[in-house]
Each structure stands twice: as structure tokens, then as C-alpha cells.
Amino acid sequence: MATVTPLNGSPATDILSFPDSNPATKAIVLGVCAMDVKARSRAMQEILTRVVERGGPLVEVKVFGDKAILDEDVKSWPRCDVLISFFSKDKLVEFPLLKAVSYANLRKPLCINDLPMQCILWDRRIVGRMLDHLGVPTPRRVEASRDGGPRIPEGFREHVEGRLGFELPQNVPPAKVQLREDGNAIIVDGVVIEKPFVEKPVSGEDHDVYVYFRDGKGGRKLFRKVGNQSSELDPELIAPRTDKSYIYEEFIDVDNAEDIKVYTVGPGYTHAETRKSPVVDGVVRRNTEGKEIRFITRLTDEEKDYAAKICQGFGQKVCGFDLLRCGNGAKSLVIDVNGWSFVKGNESYYDKAADVLLDISKRLMASPLRALSISEQAKTPEAPSWKLKANVTVFRHADRTPKQKLKYNFPITEPWAQPFVRLLNGEREEIILREREQLETIAAAIEEAKSLGAIGEDLGKLSALNGALFKKIDLPGTKAQLKPGYKKDKSAGTRKLEKLVLVLKWGGEFTHAARYQSRDLGENMRRDISIMNKDCLNNVRIYTSSERRVTASAEIFAAALLTPSPAQQQQQQQQQQQQQQMSSGLGLNVPPSPGFGASQYTTGGPNVASPTTVSSQIKEQEKHRIIGSLTSIANAV
């Protein structure tokens, strides 16, 4: 199955646009400047889709994309009024935070999360000092710096220290670190931390955290989840590391062996979930879908106050932090603050996050600065930027039942094999028998072959073939293939039948789970494309082979891809009405937009690369061009 969503031409010729400098009617542009793995994740899709549906024509979403972020100058980045931008890092690429700050300084959008302040999350020493300054309780700790102290990128110090409200130390001398003689405590510059204690690298991107136990019982190494493992016991872990800078914290004996993940969306909304602490045994508990098991918990008023202070103090409207409860709920301590964090699989969180983003956009639209911003943007035309213009995808069918088959080679020189030769009916290519009446002719040929003298092993194979045929003949996927093999006689210039193969196949049918797989794929693709460029959904073509499991997958996928939600339908109607009103005022005759549903659905023969179109609207040249593209893609796959 293959889908093609082309958007031909250019915006100047395909989209009728009218200048609109009225800040009350001009759409607020919500820009998403983050790496694609984050910006196009399921959680971000859920939030942005709600923003688009609920905002209607008043909100437009632009996803910058990796190509623009990594390769283009910031002057070529799309313009936006509200900016979602956050740092992330993986093994291959790191988000260019300094470049994003340059863009924010150039275009001056309203930033959901303060960009320069995100750099302090890279250093746990600054995070700890900020929590102390905000009055948020943390475990007792001591810093062992060997790199001169907390570091901030050049040009950020003034802004960061202004937000922090205090100056950061510079040129810190190397700490003096030693174990006490009994090995049950660490001494850093005269400050004693008893075992068990936690050793954290100062880098917020380093998750190799060690816990040291008392009396030579080793320790536990914590790390990012690998499969179902988040930590491992090391009986030889006695002396602390000395290769770089670390923070040493008192180990907290938490309630119920659980820690709490807290997520904020603005200072007024928090979502909290408990999970099994990785210090227990390092085994990650997962549900049947493979997700870590967590339970929603209610925060106390005091903990909500901590969340508001962190959200406002760090300048991160959307963020997350880790919380520990101890003393049967009598005390709560914050142990780490993260950047932009998502709750996964929670509809109420997606709803609230979308509502907060919409509220920010609406307040900006009503702001007096909105008109000034529009007039400033009009002075310099926007540079061309990368935009999704088309999408070509080749899909395998959804889940199916196991396929089974019986294969039999007929010795055509034997008299009893002639009934099967007659089934070819003079055809020189492979034939497929699907209908019950057609399959019954094979059963009749088997009975005739038995009467013509089939014996021994051949008789046993024919009996097995006959038994399988009558057991599976009523199943929808049962079919028989007759494959003749010819040898060319060069002297006579004719082809002589040399062999005949019969293959009986059954199974491979569409399953119940396949319906949900096809639907979910269509819905996710619709969300993704509607965010990247919803105009691509105005012209969709789907080609599929004739296999039942493939056509069923394509039908359900197409229905999910091309059926907008009620909110999107209402938005589309409003846009058409506005367009008609504007065009009538100028004396123009503008046809209504085709919207979601202007699509061609095409089925072909057994060869996926050679679909036969049934739509008279598709020109022959365009059809062959698309088929050629799909063929090359299929061959590459």
C-alpha cells in the first residue's frame, strides 16, 4: 500500500491570500523550534493538534524542522509570535540552544520557556543553588568541583544572574575529597556526608548516578533505562569517583519505595505520577503496552507551591522535576529539575497543556504590542523557508493471521496428472483460483487422478491435498495457484509444458488488531501532516494491491487519514465562509476548497508497483510518473 500527498505549484499560485494587518484577525503563529524527534513525538502531536482544533483560524502552527534548525541561518527560520523551543540531546545531534537564542533576540517572539535560562539546567550545582534561593527544600549536599565551578555559556551570565537574583562563583579551587578512615563517610572540604550517600555528576546530561552503602556493602549504579533495567548492584563500589566534578547528597529513605515525577504547565497547573524508585532493584515495571507503570498522585498545597516557584523561578512554563516524600508524607524534597517534559498517554494533561498555550496566544492577540509587532514584520519580507510540499510513503499491510500452504509438483508424463493440466484451460501463465466453484474443480481433478492410477507416495500427497482443501475451502483467504513451466523447442519454435506446480494457500487474513493498527496509523499521520502543512491533505492518492489484507488496511487507513475531527470540520467551514466573504468583496469568483476528502483511492492487480487507476481525473502522464516513483521506492525498500 502506498500513499502520495502532493501539493503542486507554489503558494503564490495555489493559495489565494489577502494582506491582513489587523491584529484582531491575523492568526497567531505558534512556532515549534525543537528537534524533530521531540517536535513530532506522539505527546507533542496530541497537544498541537488540540491547539489547532480549538484555536481555529486564529492559531497557526509552524514546526521549524531539523533541516532549518541545523543548517539554515536564523534569518531564514519561519517567523512566529509564540515560540516553543527547548534543548535536547542524543547520541547523534544536539539542539543548538545558542542559535535559538539568537533567533529569539532577532524576532522577539513570546517564549513559552526562557531560552537562556535553559542552560542552567545543564549544571546541577546551579540548579541546587537556585532551589535554595527559591526556598524549595532539597537533601543536604556538598559540591566537589574540579573544573573551576559552575559554567555558563558566554554572553548568558548577565541574563542568567539577573533571573537568579545572585551571582555565581567563579574560579572555584579544586575540592579536597577523602573517605573517612572507617569508609562510612566522605569528607569534602571539611564537610562530612555519611553513607549511604548519592554521587551525582554536575552535568545535568550525565545520568550515571551512584549510591554508596555503609559497611563495605558496595553500591548501586543508576543509569537511563535500558530495556527493563534502570540500575545494577555493584558489590565493589566502595570509593567515590575522582575523574570529574560531583555533588554528594544524603540518601533519602522514601515512602513506599517510590519517587514522584511532577510536570508543570504554567504555575497554576501540575500533574504528578509515582513510580517505583530505581534504587530498589533496578527493575522497571511495565504494562502490557511496554510503558513504565505509574500512578497519578495528588500533590499537597506545599508541593504545589514548590512547583509554582520552580516554574516561575527557572522561567520554564512547561517543565518537570523529581520529588521525594519521606517521614510518612511529613516532608518533601526536590532532587532534580528538568527542562521541557511531557506526560505520556494522559488525555487530561494534553487538554490542559493545549488550553494554556491557547490562553497565552489569545492574551498576546489582545496585547497592544501585537499591532506594533505586525507593523515591524511588514517592513522586512519573510525569507523562504523549508516547508512540507509532498509525502510519499510505502506501507506494509497490517497484522494478519499466519499463512500456510501445501505445494505439490505434478509429473506431467503420468496419465493421472492430466486432469490438473486441463485445469490450465490453455493458459500459459500462472492462474489463481479463489472461488469455491473453482476450488471444487481441483477436488474433482484429485478424484479423477485417483481413478487413473495414482499410487504410493503420490496417492498419499493427493489425499493430504484433498483433506486440506475441504477443511479450508470456506475460509475467505483460501486460494490455489497453478504455475506451469514451459521449455522452448528451438527447432520447432514452440513451447512444451515441462512441469506443473500446484500451491494451496490459506490464512494470512486481516485480524482484529489490524483494524486498530490501520486506524491509529491513519490518525497519527493526519495529525502529523496537519501540523507540518495541512494543505497536503487536500490531495491524497492511495494505491494498493488486490490482496484482501492490503485493501482492508488501506480502506481503514484512508478513512482515518481523510476524516477530520468535528472541530476541524467546523474550522474548515469557517475558513471557507471567510474566504468567500473576502473574495465577494473584491468581486472575485473563488471555488470552495476541496478540504479533506479530495482523494483518489486506487486498487490494482497482484503487483503493487503496477496499480491500475479507476479515476478519470488522473492524467495518464501524471499516473505513470507517480507509479514510476512508487516503483523505484519499492525497489529501494
Side-chain angles (χ1 to χ4, degrees), residues 116 118-127 129 145-154 156-157 160-161 164 168-172 202-203 245:
Q118 292 184 32
C119 71
I120 73 173
L121 302 176
W122 300 345
D123 196 315
R124 290 189 172 99
R125 291 169 294 192
I126 307 179
V127 171
R129 292 168 186 261
S145 297
R146 298 182 176 92
D147 58 355
R151 295 185 178 182
I152 294 178
E154 185 177 354
F156 284 17
R157 180 173 290 273
V160 170
E161 290 185 343
L164 292 176
L168 294 172
Q170 302 184 53
N171 302 320
V172 177
V202 296
S203 172
S245 301

Side-chain angles (χ1 to χ4, degrees), residues 344-364:
K344 298 177 179 64
N346 189 284
E347 297 293 326
S348 63
Y349 171 82
Y350 298 147
D351 291 336
K352 188 62 180 180
D355 289 341
V356 171
L357 293 176
L358 274 176
D359 181 64
I360 293 173
S361 300
K362 290 177 181 178
R363 283 191 278 113
L364 177 63

Side-chain angles (χ1 to χ4, degrees), residues 312-589:
Q312 295 173 326
F314 285 84
Q316 310 297 304
K317 292 183 178 65
V318 180
C319 69
F321 62 91
D322 299 331
L323 184 75
L324 302 181
R325 285 176 180 162
C326 55
N328 293 324
K331 190 175 183 181
S332 299
L333 303 171
V334 175
I335 59 172
D336 200 7
V337 177
N338 309 307
W340 186 288
S341 300
F342 288 122
V343 178
K344 298 177 179 64
N346 189 284
E347 297 293 326
S348 63
Y349 171 82
Y350 298 147
D351 291 336
K352 188 62 180 180
D355 289 341
V356 171
L357 293 176
L358 274 176
D359 181 64
I360 293 173
S361 300
K362 290 177 181 178
R363 283 191 278 113
L364 177 63
M365 182 173 288
S367 170
L369 298 177
R370 170 74 168 150
L372 179 62
S373 174
I374 293 176
S375 62
E376 289 294 327
Q377 291 179 13
K379 294 179 181 179
T380 56
E382 184 173 2
S385 59
W386 289 96
K387 184 177 183 180
L388 178 69
K389 299 299 290 291
N391 176 50
V392 180
T393 312
V394 179
F395 293 112
R396 183 181 183 270
H397 57 74
D399 189 42
R400 58 166 173 78
T401 59
K403 292 194 294 185
Q404 301 183 57
K405 66 180 180 180
L406 282 178
K407 185 177 181 181
Y408 189 60
N409 293 301
F410 291 100
I412 60 172
T413 57
E414 296 291 336
W416 59 264
Q418 296 309 305
F420 298 98
V421 176
R422 290 196 296 271
L423 290 177
L424 290 173
N425 198 24
E427 295 289 339
R428 292 181 174 270
E429 302 295 336
E430 172 188 337
I431 64 172
I432 299 177
L433 308 178
R434 298 181 183 274
E435 304 300 328
R436 181 183 178 91
E437 294 78 7
Q438 295 173 330
L439 295 174
E440 286 177 346
T441 61
I442 298 178
I446 293 174
E447 294 300 325
E448 185 178 353
K450 290 180 179 180
S451 65
L452 290 175
I455 59 174
E457 184 179 353
D458 293 327
L459 180 60
K461 290 183 177 180
L462 289 175
S463 299
L465 180 62
N466 195 43
L469 179 62
F470 276 98
K471 287 181 180 178
K472 309 299 181 182
I473 194 171
D474 291 322
L475 296 180
T478 302
K479 67 180 180 179
Q481 295 171 283
L482 280 171
K483 302 179 180 181
Y486 289 89
K487 182 178 181 181
K488 188 173 183 181
D489 188 346
K490 296 182 179 180
S491 59
T494 59
R495 298 172 64 191
K496 182 180 179 182
L497 183 64
E498 187 178 44
K499 63 179 180 179
L500 178 63
V501 179
L502 187 148
V503 183
L504 177 66
K505 296 182 177 180
W506 64 92
E509 288 302 299
F510 204 63
T511 66
H512 182 71
R515 299 180 60 86
Y516 296 96
Q517 293 172 354
S518 304
R519 182 201 63 188
D520 292 346
L521 182 62
E523 290 178 350
N524 291 338
M525 192 168 183
R526 173 168 56 81
R527 291 192 191 102
D528 199 17
I529 293 179
S530 64
I531 293 170
M532 300 295 291
N533 184 2
K534 59 186 177 183
D535 293 326
C536 287
L537 291 173
N538 293 340
N539 190 2
V540 179
R541 295 165 191 167
I542 299 177
Y543 301 87
T544 174
S545 72
S546 60
E547 294 286 345
R548 268 187 290 267
R549 58 180 175 271
V550 181
T551 56
S553 300
E555 288 172 359
I556 298 174
F557 167 81
L561 176 67
L562 301 174
T563 304
S565 65
Q568 288 176 318
Q569 292 176 354
Q570 182 180 5
Q571 174 189 349
Q572 184 180 343
Q573 293 174 357
Q574 291 175 351
Q575 290 175 339
Q576 290 181 0
Q577 291 173 359
Q578 290 179 357
Q579 189 181 44
Q580 291 173 358
Q581 290 173 358
M582 296 169 66
S583 61
S584 62
L586 296 176
L588 300 177
N589 183 18

